[in-house]
Amino acid sequence: MKHVSASQVKMFERCPRKWWWRYSQKIPMPPTAAMTLGTQVHKHIEDSLLGLAPIPDDSIAKSAEPFLQKSLSSSLLVEQAISMPVDDTGVKFVGRADIIDLGGAVPRVIDIKTSSNVSRWAASPSKLSNDVQMNVYAYAVLAEHANDADAIEVSHLYVQTRGSAKSKFVPVLLTRAHVESMWDYVKSTVRRMMDIYDEEFQNEIQANDSACRDYGGCPYANHCIAAKPRRK
């Protein structure tokens, strides 16, 4: 186990056994149509911010263009690699921050999200304040780009994928103390992940039965003994 990401931590929090199937046993998850569309939206926005190409008129990412044009400074880092060592474990937390804006009163980290209904599914500020991905990215920005900052703004910029063209911006201001506390939580979670990474038998690993039907059903249901009672 050499690295972890926000998606790994979130999967582990929801169901440790699902994480074990995916990352220890290395059984891949098939890509979904939503994932493919999300990648396309990210690409269109990234190319626009880097000056490589405008957002195509027929792209759903076009709904985010007013925010991108009016709300960002010129001091941007786009698709910035994040790599934070987890103490002396030999494991690194890795990822890519979509947008880091260093030109305002406080540093900002903005993550692009897609949703079928931004009014219904966008995260609330309170939920966003405890989001693993945004807090680790915030920790990295404070450590590497804003040593003197006492606070940082993290946000999701949502692009709607169904119905009318729509976007929604959800920001929240985090104190340095809060971000550091969340980083401590992530480090403790990584150590728990390491504890089961080399386990050989699934019945030794906690399973969350309530997660079996997430997103239309767990892709590991045919392997997992916890899911068998649900099959007919």
Side-chain angles (χ1 to χ4, degrees), residues 3-65:
H3 67 268
V4 297
S5 63
S7 60
Q8 284 196 48
V9 173
K10 290 178 181 179
M11 185 183 294
F12 181 86
E13 289 177 324
R14 182 62 176 149
C15 180
R17 191 179 294 175
K18 182 178 181 180
W19 174 84
W20 179 80
W21 285 120
R22 173 65 183 89
Y23 293 101
S24 174
Q25 301 306 295
K26 305 196 183 303
I27 302 176
M29 294 174 61
T32 65
M35 292 168 60
T36 301
L37 182 58
T39 298
Q40 184 183 65
V41 168
H42 276 77
K43 178 63 174 172
H44 288 164
I45 292 176
E46 176 187 350
D47 285 351
S48 173
L49 292 175
L50 293 174
L52 299 177
I55 297 176
D57 290 337
D58 61 351
S59 170
I60 60 173
K62 198 76 174 177
S63 66
E65 198 166 53

Side-chain angles (χ1 to χ4, degrees), residues 117-134:
N117 186 323
V118 298
S119 298
R120 181 177 182 182
W121 298 116
S124 65
S126 60
K127 183 176 182 179
L128 187 58
S129 68
N130 292 311
D131 183 85
V132 168
Q133 179 186 43
M134 300 313 296

Side-chain angles (χ1 to χ4, degrees), residues 41-168:
V41 168
H42 276 77
K43 178 63 174 172
H44 288 164
I45 292 176
E46 176 187 350
D47 285 351
S48 173
L49 292 175
L50 293 174
L52 299 177
I55 297 176
D57 290 337
D58 61 351
S59 170
I60 60 173
K62 198 76 174 177
S63 66
E65 198 166 53
F67 171 85
L68 298 172
Q69 292 176 342
K70 297 178 181 179
S71 302
L72 300 178
S73 77
S74 58
S75 300
L76 298 180
L77 300 173
V78 180
E79 285 295 306
Q80 180 73 11
I82 302 294
S83 180
M84 298 296 298
V86 181
D87 290 341
D88 58 353
T89 62
V91 176
K92 289 185 177 181
F93 191 108
V94 298
R96 283 192 173 273
D98 292 336
I99 305 170
I100 299 173
D101 189 345
L102 300 173
V106 296
R108 308 165 74 195
V109 184
I110 302 167
D111 196 58
I112 309 299
K113 299 291 187 184
T114 52
S115 172
S116 61
N117 186 323
V118 298
S119 298
R120 181 177 182 182
W121 298 116
S124 65
S126 60
K127 183 176 182 179
L128 187 58
S129 68
N130 292 311
D131 183 85
V132 168
Q133 179 186 43
M134 300 313 296
N135 274 275
V136 174
Y137 289 3
Y139 183 86
V141 170
L142 290 173
E144 298 176 6
H145 302 287
N147 288 324
D148 297 330
D150 294 323
I152 184 168
E153 181 187 280
V154 300
S155 58
H156 283 171
L157 176 58
Y158 288 90
V159 173
Q160 185 158 290
T161 61
R162 296 181 184 175
S164 60
K166 189 184 297 185
S167 64
K168 183 176 183 178

